Amino acid sequence: ITDAVEENVSGLLVEQRNVRQLADAIRKLLSDRKLAERLGSNGRKRAAEKFEWSIVAGNFEKNVLQKMGVKLK
């Protein structure tokens, strides 16, 4: 998940299965609209830069071709 979310930049991270941390993070976002908007905006930007379909597909294709022994330019 840390590939997708950068703590306090594009989201809030909580420990897996830690309900209290999750509830605290939700409360924090609900009580601080500016923080929620900043994290949301940064998260959308990060997703567009790292996970846009054309980028993901291009990286996948490159990796498959390399595994097949195809030399790339």
Side-chain angles (χ1 to χ4, degrees):
I1 192 96
T2 55
D3 288 342
V5 177
E6 186 177 354
E7 177 67 19
N8 289 315
V9 175
S10 58
L12 301 175
L13 296 171
V14 298
E15 291 178 20
Q16 186 177 359
R17 297 190 177 129
N18 189 324
V19 177
R20 182 167 306 269
Q21 277 188 359
L22 178 59
D24 289 345
I26 292 169
R27 275 191 217 96
K28 184 175 185 174
L29 293 172
L30 290 174
S31 67
D32 189 341
R33 184 167 184 88
K34 285 187 179 190
L35 174 66
E37 288 175 356
R38 181 175 57 83
L39 295 178
S41 177
N42 289 342
R44 280 187 294 281
K45 186 186 315 179
R46 185 174 175 93
E49 291 170 355
K50 291 190 75 166
F51 304 109
E52 180 181 310
W53 177 244
S54 62
I55 294 170
V56 172
N59 288 338
F60 178 78
E61 179 184 29
K62 184 172 82 175
N63 288 333
V64 168
L65 292 173
Q66 286 176 336
K67 296 290 183 198
M68 293 173 58
V70 175
K71 295 190 183 205
L72 303 174
K73 297 178 187 178

